[in-house]
Amino acid sequence: EGELRLTRGGLPRGLSGTLYVNGPARLAMRGDRASHPLDGHGFIRAFSLQVPAAGRHARDPHTRQRATVLGRFVRTWAFELESFFGTNVFRGFFSLPFAPDSLPARLFNGFAMLRKNVANTAVVDWGGRLLALWEMGPPHALDYALKTDTKWDHCSYLDFPSSAFSRLRPLCAHTKRWIRDDGEERLVGLSVVGKSFAFYEFDETGAVASTTEHELPFATAVTHDFGLTEKYYVVAENPFRYAPDVLGGMTGGAPALGRDTIASEGRAGLVALVPRPGVDGDVILVEGFEGVAFHVANAWDTDEDTVSFAACAFDRYSMGSEYGFDPTRGCFEPATLLLHDPAWGPFLKIATIDVAAARRASADADAPRGIPGVVSIRSTGPTPRDFPRVHPKREGRSTKFAYVAASPDLLDDEPFFPFQCVQKVPLVEDDALRVLTWRPSRPGCFVGEPVFAPREGGAAEDDGWLLVLVHDVPSRATDLAVLDAHSLTLVAELRVDRLLPLGLHGAWSPA
């Protein structure tokens, strides 16, 4: 907790609010072996930029603002229990509590089958509270002082009683915002259990406004994100080959997910178009999206008969080497980052789906499970790009640009992650549009996800600012960079003299 120090530029007068960022931290307890970062407990950071009342009408376009940072852990039941015992108690998806080098340790690992909800992936401001999201469990609620609300019924959208141990109806880590024609906002979430896909729309109070549930014939269901348009929810199959070490898992010698979990291997996956409430028709299944789309930039109805779907996708992905972590040894080994070939991606791709042709083909009684030949794919280039964002009020609407974290200038044997820079990438084919790049001026710096902060009253989709956390490793410090979303130039830079953990996903909440 403390003040941010302005080191370059000046904060724009129209930028007032809070950037919330979630990500894993506390990977080890009192010197224990480390957990995989994706199994670390959620740590919410709030970067507050507030305009003093006296400065709101200053003629100077840049006014002195008070900028502060506050960070707190999401106090889940697993966090409280491991804090109480002072050691890692639960298995993670990529981690073991103890090194499997002795019989007692393997026995403990083998019986520690319950995996903790670490609430470490994303955060969203909705219904008067913050929701900390994780992939495989219900969300947790925090107030604006980042204190976890232990009394909030975080399974209130379920049709059965809630439980701190409940994973019966998890909510995916990513949500979408939809602005209705009447101006009302909806928060849209997806829950996946086996082949059951349930889409929830929450009104501005946090109450469930609609539920749409379908069984989708996906061979695998590794669903991290989704898209939506005015008519459809859009979700990719993400084909995986899951070959776990069953014996190692049962005997405490191996984590649940490891390097035997391989994505894609060249098989074209399905894309499902699920009609939203009020839209007639059946689910449309099409074949032809190659790769694994972990993060969706946007989706939109191009016209009455076409849907566009933009996502950062891997041509191939092998789990277990993220963050340069060796899950068996329980330690960081940077060389493991090189197990992922940058030629596998992630790449920003745009899929165009001919909905009319898919409908005609699906009317045939002998139609295949997924309609082939109706999806065309265009890549934005060979640069590794991920963590895509668009103007929050343009989610589900046509957009010309996506903002991404990228690594365009990789040397031989250099991993694409952590990312080197931020880019503004055109999503439409227009010779007048080009890729814009901003990178930190100091060597040894890495960037996080760019979060869009709209300018109040602005109409253009790039009218606002990007807020980017920059991790200055040599200086052991963290900067908050404010970029002009139109030109991708630096407007201001604020520093906290501490190297904060890498964040995953964040959200801007205007004052």
Side-chain angles (χ1 to χ4, degrees):
E1 180 176 2
E3 297 277 339
L4 290 170
R5 177 166 50 88
L6 184 66
T7 55
R8 297 176 67 185
L11 286 167
R13 187 170 28 140
L15 184 63
S16 184
T18 303
L19 169 67
Y20 297 103
V21 177
N22 195 1
R26 188 172 281 191
L27 308 181
M29 299 280 183
R30 301 179 188 174
D32 285 354
R33 78 189 238 117
S35 296
H36 188 288
L38 294 180
D39 290 325
H41 291 287
F43 183 65
I44 306 286
R45 284 137 280 186
F47 298 86
S48 296
L49 310 175
Q50 302 296 338
V51 179
R56 286 190 180 272
H57 304 291
R59 292 184 180 181
D60 187 345
H62 301 92
T63 65
R64 293 183 62 83
Q65 296 186 341
R66 184 168 183 261
T68 61
V69 59
L70 173 66
R72 285 197 170 121
F73 283 97
V74 184
R75 304 191 74 87
T76 65
W77 60 272
F79 175 87
E80 298 286 12
L81 201 59
E82 290 192 334
S83 297
F84 177 80
F85 285 108
T87 188
N88 291 326
V89 175
F90 301 97
R91 296 179 70 149
F93 280 98
F94 303 91
S95 311
L96 296 171
F98 294 99
D101 52 8
S102 66
L103 180 59
R106 292 178 71 96
L107 287 173
F108 187 94
N109 293 343
F111 283 105
M113 297 301 291
L114 189 63
R115 296 180 183 89
K116 54 192 175 186
N117 182 338
V118 286
N120 69 0
T121 310
V123 58
V124 61
D125 181 0
W126 194 259
R129 61 177 64 89
L130 300 174
L131 301 180
L133 301 164
W134 182 58
E135 196 67 278
M136 293 299 296
H140 287 73
L142 298 87
D143 63 21
Y144 294 115
L146 305 188
K147 295 180 180 179
T148 305
D149 184 356
T150 57
K151 296 181 180 179
W152 182 63
D153 183 5
H154 61 189
C155 297
S156 60
Y157 57 89
L158 302 177
D159 296 327
F160 36 80
S162 64
S163 164
F165 294 89
S166 175
R167 288 178 53 230
L168 297 175
R169 182 60 80 185
L171 201 64
C172 285
H174 288 274
T175 57
K176 305 298 177 185
R177 287 178 181 258
W178 174 253
I179 311 297
R180 290 160 41 111
D181 291 338
D182 60 7
E184 181 183 346
E185 294 193 26
R186 292 283 176 85
L187 182 72
V188 184
L190 169 61
S191 176
V192 181
V193 179
K195 296 183 183 296
S196 174
F197 285 67
F199 298 88
Y200 297 94
E201 297 200 12
F202 301 91
D203 65 21
E204 294 179 0
T205 69
V208 176
S210 68
T211 302
T212 302
E213 187 166 4
H214 288 276
E215 295 278 329
L216 299 182
F218 288 173
T220 53
V222 182
T223 305
H224 181 70
D225 200 357
F226 67 101
L228 83 162
T229 74
E230 186 174 4
K231 298 178 182 178
Y232 301 103
Y233 305 115
V234 186
V235 59
E237 180 184 16
N238 292 346
F240 264 77
R241 175 176 60 81
Y242 184 34
D245 181 353
V246 177
L247 180 62
M250 294 180 63
T251 60
L257 296 178
R259 295 169 192 161
D260 291 325
T261 305
I262 309 294
S264 187
E265 294 192 310
R267 180 170 78 83
L270 300 177
V271 176
L273 304 181
V274 180
R276 293 183 62 188
V279 177
D280 296 331
D282 298 325
V283 173
I284 299 172
L285 286 168
V286 299
E287 182 182 84
F289 191 90
E290 295 186 0
V292 176
F294 280 134
H295 294 121
V296 175
N298 201 13
W300 62 92
D301 300 312
T302 307
D303 53 40
E304 286 294 322
D305 297 319
T306 310
V307 167
S308 293
F309 176 68
C312 291
F314 292 87
D315 292 338
R316 177 183 169 91
Y317 188 84
S318 177
M319 288 187 176
S321 60
E322 298 85 0
Y323 290 84
F325 185 84
D326 186 322
T328 302
R329 295 172 56 205
C331 64
F332 288 89
E333 181 56 58
T336 61
L337 285 170
L338 300 177
L339 295 176
H340 179 93
D341 189 338
W344 299 346
F347 306 123
L348 179 58
K349 302 179 180 182
I350 299 95
T352 302
I353 304 169
D354 188 336
V355 179
R359 283 203 193 97
R360 290 192 298 269
S362 61
D364 187 341
D366 297 325
R369 181 182 65 137
I371 305 301
V374 297
V375 179
S376 60
I377 305 291
R378 180 175 60 86
S379 176
T380 60
T383 295
R385 297 179 171 120
D386 207 353
F387 294 162
R389 298 297 292 263
V390 299
H391 191 302
K393 292 188 177 181
R394 299 298 302 175
E395 290 185 347
R397 314 278 188 182
S398 176
T399 46
K400 293 182 178 181
F401 310 101
Y403 300 94
V404 297
S407 294
D409 301 312
L410 294 176
L411 303 175
D412 291 340
D413 294 330
E414 183 179 10
F416 76 89
F417 179 84
F419 290 101
Q420 302 170 346
C421 65
V422 173
Q423 291 188 328
K424 179 182 183 181
V425 183
L427 298 179
V428 296
E429 293 183 284
D430 186 338
D431 292 339
L433 303 178
R434 58 189 179 88
V435 175
L436 300 181
T437 301
W438 177 85
R439 65 178 69 243
S441 59
R442 293 179 293 274
C445 292
F446 303 101
V447 303
E449 177 189 57
V451 177
F452 197 102
R455 187 191 307 273
E456 185 177 0
E461 66 173 88
D462 58 357
D463 191 359
W465 303 273
L466 295 181
L467 305 179
V468 184
L469 289 186
V470 179
H471 301 272
D472 187 343
V473 178
S475 299
R476 305 292 297 173
T478 305
D479 296 323
L480 174 60
V482 180
L483 310 180
D484 184 294
H486 175 72
S487 61
L488 225 61
T489 55
L490 183 69
V491 177
E493 183 180 79
L494 303 104
R495 169 159 288 210
V496 54
D497 293 315
R498 184 171 182 176
L499 187 61
L500 298 176
L502 287 171
L504 290 177
H505 303 292
W508 169 253
S509 180

